Amino acid sequence: MPFSDIERTNTAPKHAGESSFRFLDRSAHPPIDRVRTFLSEALSRYPVAERDELVARLRSENETHFRSATFEVFLHEALIRLGYRLSSHPDLGTGVPKRPDFLVTDADGSEFVLEAVLASERDGKSPAAEAMKETALGYLNETPHNAFVVDVESEGDPASQPSGKMLARDVHAWLGTLEPDPLRERLVSHGLDAMPTMTWTHEAWEVTLRAIPLAAERRGKIARLIGALGDGARWVNAWEPLRDAVKKKANRYGELTKPFVIAVNADIFHLDEIDEVQALYGEEYWAEVIGQPERSGLRRRPNGAWRGPHGPQNRRVSAVWFFNDLTPYTLANRRSTLYVNPWANISPPERLQRVPTRRVEGEELVQIPGIDLGSIYGLPAGWPE
């Protein structure tokens, strides 16, 4: 099992820079204990031959490894609860050395191939720069002040590691020049915008800190320095990462003789159904024909995973199963939708369409209700609280 067999007493929230696994392993907060229990029980039903490798990925400090491993565990758990058997990394006999995540077998002996993949919003973030910023801000957060917390906004990326020690030294020197009581009165009367700020820079990374004076009764009792953290405003694109995730896997395993389903876990706070449809069928736009309003209207560009410049493509994919930010904490309340490929070489399994499904009927893309994730996992609304 992945978690330590220890008595836990630390109920502090997740620290900046703390890995997801380390937080899960050390937190004594009751909802986190429920998450650990669910994950451990699900892992106990995972194929034994693959379990050690999966646990190593869960325990990794790499967040992508953690997210991909937990997604595979949750997919496996959902499908066995739906009555399937799964074997990991099967040899499909296509002559391709790469192997998919699962071969899924129904009670009647029918089979389909399942591949799990992650997708993130295209927001221009550099993983290396984000890690360096988290390290510096994590150090700062661990140096509390007896009278202030700070709100932090940052812009840009460093090329080398900023010194958390220097950042904390400069911030505390600045806070030492401020009087908390007059600022507290001003905060109450004029709001946050009236609070003093300082700017700290390292290469192209600029950090703006706003001092927030604590109420007298809370001074000396706060174990962290950062009260709120923002990372600037960015243009994000939610549909292209979904499309690219599907295209990346579509032809990876050669000419298949079984239905092929790609499960995509989108690391997006609110995944819109429009983004899902655009990812598969192409980007929607408005075409205005001057002087001919009857010819104006919505169009779709041929740049989706299933519909390209030359018509239907990636027909080896029978269906795509989209999940909206499925994490160890969101199992009871996240949405999933199975999209059936109308041009697939092999139709997806009928019984899998017990989950919420969208498919083309006539000229319409219709929604068919199905079993939600909370019901599949047997978790109440609001879990793990």
Side-chain angles (χ1 to χ4, degrees), residues 162-206:
S163 169
K165 186 174 182 179
M166 290 179 62
L167 173 60
R169 180 200 66 194
D170 294 347
V171 170
H172 276 266
W174 167 62
L175 292 174
T177 68
L178 305 178
E179 292 291 336
D181 291 327
L183 284 174
R184 184 71 188 177
E185 294 176 7
R186 188 167 181 78
L187 174 66
V188 173
S189 60
H190 291 79
L192 284 173
D193 289 344
M195 294 298 98
T197 62
M198 74 162 284
T199 300
W200 192 88
T201 60
H202 175 82
E203 298 169 343
W205 185 40
E206 182 176 280

Side-chain angles (χ1 to χ4, degrees), residues 45-230:
R45 291 184 279 273
Y46 201 81
V48 175
E50 305 289 335
R51 205 176 294 162
D52 286 349
E53 184 269 343
L54 193 74
V55 168
R57 287 160 56 205
L58 283 171
R59 297 179 67 94
S60 170
E61 296 293 298
N62 184 304
E63 289 299 299
T64 300
H65 292 336
F66 178 86
R67 286 188 61 240
S68 65
T70 52
F71 184 41
E72 289 172 28
V73 172
F74 299 146
L75 266 179
H76 181 273
E77 183 69 12
L79 287 164
I80 64 172
R81 287 171 179 260
L82 287 170
Y84 295 98
R85 290 185 293 107
L86 288 84
S87 56
S88 296
H89 302 122
D91 182 356
L92 301 176
T94 61
V96 176
K98 298 183 185 302
R99 298 189 178 192
D101 290 316
F102 300 107
L103 180 66
V104 185
T105 306
D106 205 345
D108 63 3
S110 61
E111 298 174 328
F112 69 92
V113 176
L114 180 67
E115 179 75 354
V117 62
L118 305 178
S120 295
E121 287 176 307
R122 182 164 295 168
D123 59 7
K125 289 183 179 179
S126 160
E130 292 302 308
M132 289 188 285
K133 289 189 285 187
E134 281 192 5
T135 298
L137 292 173
Y139 187 96
L140 176 68
N141 198 32
E142 298 292 330
T143 61
H145 192 277
N146 67 332
F148 291 93
V149 293
V150 294
D151 284 0
V152 177
E153 286 284 343
S154 78
E155 291 282 353
D157 289 333
S160 62
Q161 178 63 58
S163 169
K165 186 174 182 179
M166 290 179 62
L167 173 60
R169 180 200 66 194
D170 294 347
V171 170
H172 276 266
W174 167 62
L175 292 174
T177 68
L178 305 178
E179 292 291 336
D181 291 327
L183 284 174
R184 184 71 188 177
E185 294 176 7
R186 188 167 181 78
L187 174 66
V188 173
S189 60
H190 291 79
L192 284 173
D193 289 344
M195 294 298 98
T197 62
M198 74 162 284
T199 300
W200 192 88
T201 60
H202 175 82
E203 298 169 343
W205 185 40
E206 182 176 280
V207 184
T208 301
L209 305 105
R210 186 186 306 274
I212 311 297
L214 297 168
E217 64 273 13
R218 299 185 66 202
R219 292 175 190 171
K221 299 178 182 178
I222 305 298
R224 300 287 178 264
L225 183 60
I226 297 177
L229 178 63

Side-chain angles (χ1 to χ4, degrees), residues 244-324:
D244 295 347
V246 174
K247 291 175 68 175
K248 179 181 178 181
K249 299 291 186 177
N251 298 294
R252 189 178 180 87
Y253 303 110
E255 196 64 49
L256 299 172
T257 59
K258 306 177 192 297
F260 181 33
V261 177
I262 300 176
V264 181
N265 190 13
D267 181 16
I268 298 167
F269 180 72
H270 177 70
L271 179 62
D272 197 296
E273 291 178 354
I274 293 173
D275 295 318
E276 296 173 347
V277 174
Q278 289 192 142
L280 299 175
Y281 293 98
E283 184 180 15
E284 192 174 72
Y285 69 99
W286 178 267
E288 184 72 30
V289 182
I290 304 301
Q292 300 183 55
E294 71 280 359
R295 295 181 57 195
S296 301
L298 287 174
R299 304 281 192 275
R300 197 171 290 283
R301 292 189 172 92
N303 58 355
W306 286 347
R307 180 175 168 271
H310 306 292
Q313 60 184 12
N314 296 317
R315 300 175 69 167
R316 292 173 180 171
V317 181
S318 304
V320 171
W321 193 0
F322 283 126
F323 293 78
N324 180 197

